[in-house]
Amino acid sequence: MTIQLMKEIEEGKKISNNKQFRVSYSLDDIKGVRRLLKDRFIISNRRYKGDTRASDILLDLNTAIEQADLTKRQTQTFILVYGYRQFPQQQASEILGISQKQVSSHLQGALTKITQVYKGWNYNEVEIKICSDHNSCEHGWEGDVVESY
Protein backbone atom coordinates (compact mmCIF):
# COMPACT_ATOMS: atom_id res chain seq x y z
CA MET A 1 0.00 0.00 0.00
CA THR A 2 1.21 3.52 -0.72
CA ILE A 3 1.78 6.11 1.97
CA GLN A 4 -1.20 8.14 0.72
CA LEU A 5 -3.42 5.08 0.88
CA MET A 6 -2.25 4.39 4.43
CA LYS A 7 -3.13 8.00 5.36
CA GLU A 8 -6.62 7.58 3.88
CA ILE A 9 -7.12 4.47 5.98
CA GLU A 10 -5.86 6.23 9.11
CA GLU A 11 -8.24 9.16 8.44
CA GLY A 12 -11.15 6.76 8.92
CA LYS A 13 -12.63 6.23 5.49
CA LYS A 14 -13.71 2.82 6.76
CA ILE A 15 -16.82 1.41 5.09
CA SER A 16 -17.38 -1.67 7.22
CA ASN A 17 -16.11 -3.55 10.24
CA ASN A 18 -14.02 -5.90 8.17
CA LYS A 19 -11.17 -3.59 7.12
CA GLN A 20 -12.61 -2.23 3.88
CA PHE A 21 -12.03 1.37 2.86
CA ARG A 22 -13.17 3.59 -0.01
CA VAL A 23 -10.62 5.83 -1.68
CA SER A 24 -11.71 8.52 -4.14
CA TYR A 25 -9.62 10.03 -6.89
CA SER A 26 -10.87 13.36 -8.21
CA LEU A 27 -9.52 13.35 -11.73
CA ASP A 28 -10.37 16.94 -12.53
CA ASP A 29 -7.61 18.21 -10.22
CA ILE A 30 -3.88 17.60 -10.03
CA LYS A 31 -3.98 16.15 -6.52
CA GLY A 32 -6.41 13.41 -7.54
CA VAL A 33 -4.44 12.51 -10.67
CA ARG A 34 -1.23 12.35 -8.61
CA ARG A 35 -2.88 10.02 -6.10
CA LEU A 36 -4.22 7.79 -8.87
CA LEU A 37 -0.76 7.56 -10.41
CA LYS A 38 0.78 6.56 -7.10
CA ASP A 39 -1.89 3.89 -6.49
CA ARG A 40 -2.28 2.59 -10.03
CA PHE A 41 -0.30 -0.57 -9.36
CA ILE A 42 -2.77 -1.52 -6.61
CA ILE A 43 -5.62 -0.96 -9.07
CA SER A 44 -3.78 -2.84 -11.82
CA ASN A 45 -3.85 -6.03 -9.75
CA ARG A 46 -7.60 -6.12 -10.38
CA ARG A 47 -7.14 -6.33 -14.16
CA TYR A 48 -5.70 -9.79 -13.80
CA LYS A 49 -8.70 -10.87 -11.75
CA GLY A 50 -11.21 -9.92 -14.44
CA ASP A 51 -12.20 -6.52 -13.06
CA THR A 52 -13.08 -4.67 -16.27
CA ARG A 53 -13.72 -1.41 -14.41
CA ALA A 54 -10.13 -1.39 -13.16
CA SER A 55 -9.01 -2.01 -16.74
CA ASP A 56 -11.15 0.91 -17.93
CA ILE A 57 -9.63 3.26 -15.35
CA LEU A 58 -6.11 2.28 -16.35
CA LEU A 59 -6.84 2.45 -20.08
CA ASP A 60 -8.29 5.92 -19.62
CA LEU A 61 -5.24 6.94 -17.57
CA ASN A 62 -2.87 5.71 -20.30
CA THR A 63 -4.92 7.50 -22.97
CA ALA A 64 -4.88 10.72 -20.92
CA ILE A 65 -1.09 10.49 -20.58
CA GLU A 66 -0.69 9.90 -24.33
CA GLN A 67 -3.02 12.79 -25.22
CA ALA A 68 -1.33 15.17 -22.77
CA ASP A 69 1.47 15.84 -25.27
CA LEU A 70 4.24 15.82 -22.67
CA THR A 71 7.63 17.26 -23.54
CA LYS A 72 10.64 14.94 -23.65
CA ARG A 73 11.85 16.06 -20.20
CA GLN A 74 8.35 15.83 -18.71
CA THR A 75 8.11 12.29 -20.06
CA GLN A 76 11.51 11.34 -18.61
CA THR A 77 10.73 12.69 -15.15
CA PHE A 78 7.21 11.27 -15.26
CA ILE A 79 8.48 7.76 -16.02
CA LEU A 80 11.05 7.89 -13.23
CA VAL A 81 8.68 9.20 -10.56
CA TYR A 82 5.39 7.52 -11.55
CA GLY A 83 6.66 4.48 -13.42
CA TYR A 84 7.19 1.00 -12.04
CA ARG A 85 10.09 1.94 -9.73
CA GLN A 86 8.58 5.24 -8.50
CA PHE A 87 11.86 6.96 -7.67
CA PRO A 88 11.77 9.85 -5.20
CA GLN A 89 12.20 13.22 -6.92
CA GLN A 90 15.71 13.68 -5.50
CA GLN A 91 16.85 10.37 -6.97
CA ALA A 92 15.19 11.19 -10.30
CA SER A 93 17.09 14.49 -10.34
CA GLU A 94 20.38 12.65 -9.84
CA ILE A 95 19.58 10.21 -12.65
CA LEU A 96 18.63 13.02 -15.05
CA GLY A 97 21.41 15.36 -13.96
CA ILE A 98 19.03 18.20 -13.11
CA SER A 99 17.95 19.80 -9.86
CA GLN A 100 15.11 18.44 -7.75
CA LYS A 101 13.32 21.75 -8.29
CA GLN A 102 13.46 21.16 -12.07
CA VAL A 103 12.10 17.64 -11.61
CA SER A 104 9.24 19.06 -9.56
CA SER A 105 8.55 21.68 -12.23
CA HIS A 106 8.50 19.09 -15.04
CA LEU A 107 6.16 16.86 -13.03
CA GLN A 108 3.84 19.76 -12.26
CA GLY A 109 3.67 20.55 -15.97
CA ALA A 110 2.97 16.92 -16.85
CA LEU A 111 0.28 16.57 -14.19
CA THR A 112 -1.36 19.81 -15.32
CA LYS A 113 -1.53 18.54 -18.91
CA ILE A 114 -2.93 15.15 -17.87
CA THR A 115 -5.52 16.85 -15.64
CA GLN A 116 -6.56 19.07 -18.54
CA VAL A 117 -7.23 15.96 -20.65
CA TYR A 118 -9.51 14.57 -17.91
CA LYS A 119 -11.28 17.93 -17.63
CA GLY A 120 -11.83 17.94 -21.39
CA TRP A 121 -13.49 14.55 -21.05
CA ASN A 122 -15.68 15.84 -18.17
CA TYR A 123 -14.23 13.06 -16.06
CA ASN A 124 -15.08 13.56 -12.41
CA GLU A 125 -14.18 10.99 -9.80
CA VAL A 126 -13.18 7.36 -9.48
CA GLU A 127 -13.77 5.51 -6.23
CA ILE A 128 -12.26 2.17 -5.27
CA LYS A 129 -12.64 -0.17 -2.34
CA ILE A 130 -9.36 -1.16 -0.71
CA CYS A 131 -9.08 -4.12 1.63
CA SER A 132 -6.29 -3.88 4.15
CA ASP A 133 -6.64 -7.61 4.77
CA HIS A 134 -6.96 -9.85 1.69
CA ASN A 135 -9.30 -12.18 3.59
CA SER A 136 -11.75 -9.44 4.54
CA CYS A 137 -13.00 -8.45 1.08
CA GLU A 138 -15.85 -10.20 -0.62
CA HIS A 139 -13.52 -11.33 -3.38
CA GLY A 140 -10.41 -11.29 -1.21
CA TRP A 141 -8.44 -8.93 -3.45
CA GLU A 142 -6.89 -5.58 -2.74
CA GLY A 143 -8.11 -2.69 -4.89
CA ASP A 144 -11.58 -3.86 -5.88
CA VAL A 145 -13.11 -1.06 -7.95
CA VAL A 146 -16.62 -0.35 -6.73
CA GLU A 147 -17.52 2.75 -8.72
CA SER A 148 -16.14 4.62 -11.65
CA TYR A 149 -16.83 7.88 -13.42
Side-chain angles (χ1 to χ4, degrees), residues 17 26-27 30-31 34 39 43 45 58 69 71 76 86-88 90 98 109 111 117 135 142:
N17 292 332
S26 179
L27 300 178
I30 290 174
K31 187 177 179 180
R34 182 183 297 120
D39 293 344
I43 297 167
N45 288 334
L58 296 173
D69 194 28
T71 66
Q76 291 170 332
Q86 296 192 351
F87 289 106
Q90 184 58 45
I98 60 177
L111 290 169
V117 172
N135 297 323
E142 186 176 337

Side-chain angles (χ1 to χ4, degrees), residues 95-110:
I95 292 168
L96 295 170
I98 60 177
S99 71
Q100 187 274 324
K101 186 174 181 177
Q102 288 174 305
V103 168
S104 180
S105 177
H106 291 304
L107 289 174
Q108 185 70 18

Side-chain angles (χ1 to χ4, degrees), residues 25-29 118 121-126 149:
Y25 303 93
S26 179
L27 300 178
D28 55 1
D29 72 24
Y118 277 117
W121 294 344
N122 293 317
Y123 219 110
N124 295 319
E125 191 170 87
V126 173
Y149 51 97

Side-chain angles (χ1 to χ4, degrees), residues 1 5 19-21 23 42 128-132 137 142-143:
M1 261 186 242
L5 201 49
K19 301 179 183 177
Q20 296 178 16
F21 305 86
V23 180
I42 292 170
I128 62 170
K129 178 176 68 177
I130 301 296
C131 300
S132 60
C137 278
E142 186 176 337

Side-chain angles (χ1 to χ4, degrees), residues 25 32-41 61 65 78 82 86 111 114:
Y25 303 93
V33 172
R34 182 183 297 120
R35 289 178 53 221
L36 177 62
L37 286 164
K38 289 184 178 281
D39 293 344
R40 73 177 161 174
F41 296 108
L61 176 61
I65 293 167
F78 186 85
Y82 294 111
Q86 296 192 351
L111 290 169
I114 294 166

